[in-house]
Amino acid sequence: MSNVIVVVGAQWGDEGKGKIVDLLAERFDIVARYQGGHNAGHSVKVGDKNYALHLIPSGIVHEGKTCVLGSGMVIDPKAFFVEADRLAEQGLKVTPERVLVSSRAHLILPYHRALDHTSEERLGNEKVGTTLRGIGPAYEDKAGRRGIRVADALNPEILRSRIERNLEDANRLIVAYRGQALDADEVFNETSRHVERLAPFVKDTTYFLNRAVREGRSVLIEGAQAALLDVDHGTYPFVTSSSTTAGGACIGTGLAPQRITSVLGIVRTYTTRVGEGPFPTEMLEGEAEMGHLIRERGREYGVSTGRPRRCGWFDAFATRYAAEINGFDNVALTKLDILDALDEIKVCVGYRLNGERCESFPSVSKDLRQVEPVYETLPGWKSSTEGVTEMSALPAAARDYVEFISQQIGVPIGLVSTGPDRAQTIVARDSALGQWLDS
């Protein structure tokens, strides 16, 4: 039976999926991405080189691996080649033999970016805090059955007619909010140039992936954002526009649920969030200095935008919810070393709302803004864990912290990251994931 593993961020993103996928990728034949666009970024460090990835799966840094951009993605063809060309300058080959783009994926076009700005302006104080890269409007067009798929864009006549049709409506909104109307000919000329270059990469990836699994090849599936940003199960409306949970991996690749053999969750030892939206454990007011310390030690700035991330204590209550809706078999815990400087560490183990303990994760953002986190405080270890590769070599308080998190979220921890490099990783030998990695 083929090994098909889905890797999902369990918080609000930026958990370190890039490193974990990179670490696992050498054991897989194919690395596939199932949702999102270039609104998210993975940072992968290999030796003295750092690779910033936005659209192309992390498997690209491994020779001989096939990377797939799945049907659930929205792809800006210009951004794709900006990234591909930059990676080529760093010595990585982004060729049609190595990277396949789904013919069913949807395109992000210039008017989507303009509409993204318009949408945020219309929302005013209730803005979502998007990356303004056109992802939401592209998914809106997809759901509204007016999107332009990659396969359709390969036909110049279809591409032109749909751009002209969509721009009629888009320009009305853009102009209404003091934007500059876009010219259909300019949009078509720019897009068709990129699509022509994209054509050799285009493939029926649903057929490719299913055939690969039938033939016994292994597939590692990664998403862009994280569980709490899922359009159905996240902190709506402060979410992304796609299905980020493990269920979305089936939708965004075309692989049936029974093909999935395991789901790995990625969590940080603390929590961050970019953009607007509720964040119960955020370090504010009296803890602002602590938040700044975590941000600087963890270099918590967006890979795609450079925006500073909001920092907070580990939220075990939210992570337990994420574990449940994704069905995590194992968890990889990242950035343990960032907590080395702390005297004590707080962990949120539950919420109170209107004085009552919450039984379930709130589905209403207003409620989530008003919850009172219930904390337990653990001692820090005040010594370096950077680069540690064995659990037994960790300070006792650090081992206790890892075990406490595992107990609180109800999932065994198979990996612990102690630095950005591949080698700076602890494999829990007694976990199912550890045993598989050792096999």
Side-chain angles (χ1 to χ4, degrees):
M1 182 178 179
S2 294
N3 218 9
V4 181
I5 292 182
V6 181
V7 178
V8 180
Q11 297 160 313
W12 279 285
D14 310 307
E15 296 91 352
K17 294 186 295 295
K19 172 185 170 173
I20 303 304
V21 171
D22 170 61
L23 184 68
L24 299 176
E26 62 182 1
R27 291 175 167 267
F28 289 82
D29 301 308
I30 299 163
V31 182
R33 169 96 176 266
Y34 65 92
Q35 53 78 222
H38 63 305
N39 55 332
H42 293 160
S43 181
V44 177
K45 179 175 170 58
V46 183
D48 60 350
K49 288 189 175 181
N50 284 287
Y51 302 101
L53 304 169
H54 304 276
L55 279 169
I56 298 171
S58 308
I60 194 66
V61 303
H62 294 266
E63 285 291 337
K65 309 301 177 184
T66 302
C67 295
V68 172
L69 279 68
S71 56
M73 293 184 64
V74 287
I75 299 169
D76 183 328
K78 180 179 179 180
F80 176 85
F81 286 111
V82 168
E83 183 172 333
D85 292 343
R86 187 186 66 251
L87 292 174
E89 291 173 358
Q90 292 182 278
L92 299 180
K93 296 178 181 178
V94 182
T95 65
E97 291 72 35
R98 294 208 59 202
V99 179
L100 311 179
V101 176
S102 173
S103 57
R104 293 179 171 88
H106 281 245
L107 291 182
I108 298 173
L109 299 181
Y111 55 83
H112 291 128
R113 294 191 291 273
L115 287 170
D116 213 349
H117 284 269
T118 298
S119 176
E120 286 290 83
E121 187 172 335
R122 290 166 65 195
L123 289 170
N125 292 334
E126 296 182 358
K127 66 180 180 179
V128 176
T130 77
T131 56
L132 303 177
R133 299 195 172 187
I135 280 77
Y139 275 114
E140 286 182 48
D141 276 1
K142 175 181 177 177
R145 299 183 296 278
R146 55 183 176 270
I148 302 176
R149 301 194 302 175
V150 172
D152 300 323
L154 295 177
N155 183 316
E157 291 183 4
I158 294 176
L159 178 61
R160 180 181 286 277
S161 67
R162 294 192 179 174
I163 286 174
E164 290 174 347
R165 180 193 65 190
N166 290 350
L167 261 184
E168 286 184 17
D169 291 331
N171 274 336
R172 290 191 190 98
L173 270 176
I174 293 167
V175 171
Y177 284 86
R178 299 178 298 281
Q180 183 69 42
L182 302 181
D183 180 76
D185 287 337
E186 290 180 4
V187 172
F188 171 77
N189 291 335
E190 177 187 333
T191 304
S192 60
R193 183 174 71 253
H194 295 306
V195 167
E196 184 177 354
R197 188 181 173 191
L198 188 67
F201 294 85
V202 179
K203 197 174 185 72
D204 184 340
T205 59
T206 298
Y207 174 76
F208 170 81
L209 289 169
N210 277 282
R211 185 182 67 180
V213 173
R214 288 197 306 271
E215 293 174 350
R217 283 182 280 174
S218 54
V219 184
L220 183 62
I221 305 175
E222 65 170 340
Q225 287 84 21
L228 299 180
L229 292 174
D230 185 272
V231 69
D232 292 301
H233 301 288
T235 50
Y236 191 89
F238 302 96
V239 294
T240 194
S241 302
S242 56
S243 299
T244 63
T245 50
C250 298
I251 297 168
T253 61
L255 290 171
Q258 60 265 40
R259 298 286 197 192
I260 308 300
T261 56
S262 183
V263 181
L264 174 65
I266 315 296
V267 300
R268 269 203 191 86
T269 52
Y270 51 95
T271 311
T272 68
R273 180 164 195 166
V274 172
E276 307 298 324
F279 186 2
T281 66
E282 186 172 8
M283 296 167 176
L284 296 171
E285 298 173 355
E287 296 183 320
E289 188 175 334
M290 179 66 73
H292 177 75
L293 174 67
I294 294 292
R295 183 180 302 112
E296 295 308 309
R297 284 183 59 82
R299 293 187 282 279
E300 297 298 348
Y301 296 89
V303 176
S304 291
T305 63
R307 289 187 294 178
R309 295 169 182 148
R310 300 155 64 191
C311 296
W313 298 110
F314 186 83
D315 191 334
F317 190 69
T319 308
R320 186 160 62 245
Y321 165 71
E324 185 170 64
I325 62 176
N326 284 282
F328 295 149
D329 303 296
N330 280 268
V331 158
L333 186 64
T334 65
K335 295 201 171 185
L336 180 68
D337 55 303
I338 304 306
L339 302 184
D340 289 349
L342 276 59
D343 293 308
E344 57 182 29
I345 304 164
K346 292 161 65 173
V347 175
C348 172
V349 296
Y351 297 159
R352 283 196 181 93
L353 180 62
N354 299 323
E356 299 290 331
R357 192 75 174 251
C358 295
E359 292 186 2
S360 62
F361 189 74
S363 58
V364 179
S365 286
K366 180 181 177 182
D367 290 344
L368 198 54
R369 288 187 188 279
Q370 295 176 348
V371 296
E372 176 189 351
V374 178
Y375 287 111
E376 288 198 25
T377 302
L378 283 74
W381 42 93
K382 296 293 288 184
S383 59
S384 177
T385 62
E386 185 175 3
V388 172
T389 58
E390 295 292 337
M391 197 73 77
S392 60
L394 289 175
R399 292 197 303 272
D400 290 344
Y401 183 71
V402 172
E403 179 59 28
F404 184 76
I405 286 178
S406 178
Q407 291 174 353
Q408 287 297 313
I409 63 178
V411 183
I413 291 176
L415 294 176
V416 180
S417 174
T418 58
D421 197 79
R422 286 178 190 163
Q424 295 174 312
T425 306
I426 298 170
V427 178
R429 306 294 173 186
D430 58 345
S431 70
L433 180 62
Q435 291 169 14
W436 176 73
L437 287 170
D438 285 341
S439 63

